[in-house]
Amino acid sequence: MTRTSSAPAVTRISSAPLRAPVVALLAILLAASGVLLGAGGAQAAGYRYWSFWEGDGKSWAYATQGPSLVRPDDGTVQGFRFAVSEDSADADRPRHAPDFGAICADTPAKGGAKRVALVIDPGTAEDAPAGEKPPALRTACAQVAPDASSAEALASVAKPLRYDSSAMICAISGYPKSGCGEQVSGDGSKKDGSGKDGSGKPSAPEASSAPAADDGGSGGGPSAGLLLGIGAVLLLGVAAVFQARRRR
């Protein structure tokens, strides 16, 4: 007697029909991720404020303390620049060389006083608040008491000054008329910064003259919530692929 095997036949399912939908799904997920990431970058924002700088004779460095705290020595060069920037690494430098000899050439030394060269750069029309026009860049040689702060040196040549409750400079010589470190929407792109002195970007993280970063993730990159959302979409897509394989 011949025995006939009762074992069920094994049906082999080709993976070819499944491959095309999987590839298409992954392409859609990657495209969606790119759109979301692009949207996160487009929400970048900056702040409109007066930044404070210290010169070494050749280039500018972002100050690590506010002007009310710094007590400059005789022969120091300091700068103030009004512009829109995201943080200290993105800030525009004063558009004039920090040359003490040239700025204070007509101010002779005097006993019981020190000289501080100042560059006051109100920035460009692009950075000006709506309805205002920035005054011309100017330099001044402040001759003040030996223990005077940078803020006092500035006040001696550029009144009126306006401050906020945290001692951040809001206006120099009355510019701008209103506002103080307000957040400004932008596309995250950096302005050309023509006329900058020195090379490289300032290394100081945050000076007291600059507004603090917004905790809500308003910087140039995507927020944590956006990244989590992208991750969830990708995981759902992968799960759908494996579920489809199991059903086959």
Side-chain angles (χ1 to χ4, degrees):
M1 180 182 293
T2 302
R3 291 192 175 186
T4 302
S5 174
S6 60
V10 177
T11 303
R12 296 183 179 276
I13 300 175
S14 174
S15 62
L18 185 61
R19 198 170 296 157
V22 170
V23 171
L25 178 59
L26 289 176
I28 292 171
L29 291 172
L30 287 174
S33 300
V35 171
L36 290 172
L37 284 171
Q43 294 173 357
Y47 297 87
R48 182 183 286 118
Y49 69 99
W50 281 99
S51 56
F52 177 43
W53 301 80
E54 296 177 329
D56 62 3
K58 295 181 179 180
S59 61
W60 294 105
Y62 199 93
T64 57
Q65 291 182 302
S68 61
L69 299 176
V70 175
R71 309 257 171 203
D73 295 327
D74 181 74
T76 297
V77 185
Q78 299 185 323
F80 295 85
R81 171 68 190 266
F82 188 78
V84 174
S85 61
E86 293 180 34
D87 50 39
S88 59
D90 180 63
D92 289 326
R93 295 171 173 81
R95 297 169 298 167
H96 190 287
D99 187 342
F100 177 84
I103 296 172
C104 288
D106 297 330
T107 307
K110 184 172 66 174
K114 66 182 178 183
R115 293 175 297 167
V116 179
L118 299 172
V119 175
I120 304 168
D121 185 353
T124 65
E126 181 183 6
D127 292 325
E132 294 200 52
K133 180 181 179 181
L137 180 153
R138 70 187 184 96
T139 62
C141 186
Q143 197 160 48
V144 290
D147 62 345
S149 67
S150 299
E152 291 170 325
L154 180 65
S156 71
V157 297
K159 289 180 179 178
L161 303 182
R162 178 165 55 87
Y163 290 86
D164 70 357
S165 58
S166 64
M168 184 173 85
I169 292 181
C170 303
I172 296 177
S173 296
Y175 180 79
K177 296 178 182 177
S178 61
C180 191
E182 66 270 22
Q183 190 172 3
V184 180
S185 297
D187 60 2
S189 60
K190 188 72 179 66
K191 298 173 288 300
D192 62 7
S194 58
K196 289 182 181 179
D197 289 298
S199 58
K201 291 186 176 182
S203 58
E206 285 294 337
S208 58
S209 58
D214 180 43
D215 292 335
S218 61
S223 65
L226 177 62
L227 293 176
L228 288 174
I230 294 172
V233 171
L234 292 174
L235 286 175
L236 287 173
V238 173
V241 171
F242 279 106
Q243 186 68 19
R245 284 182 178 275
R246 291 184 63 184
R247 288 177 179 175
R248 294 274 182 165

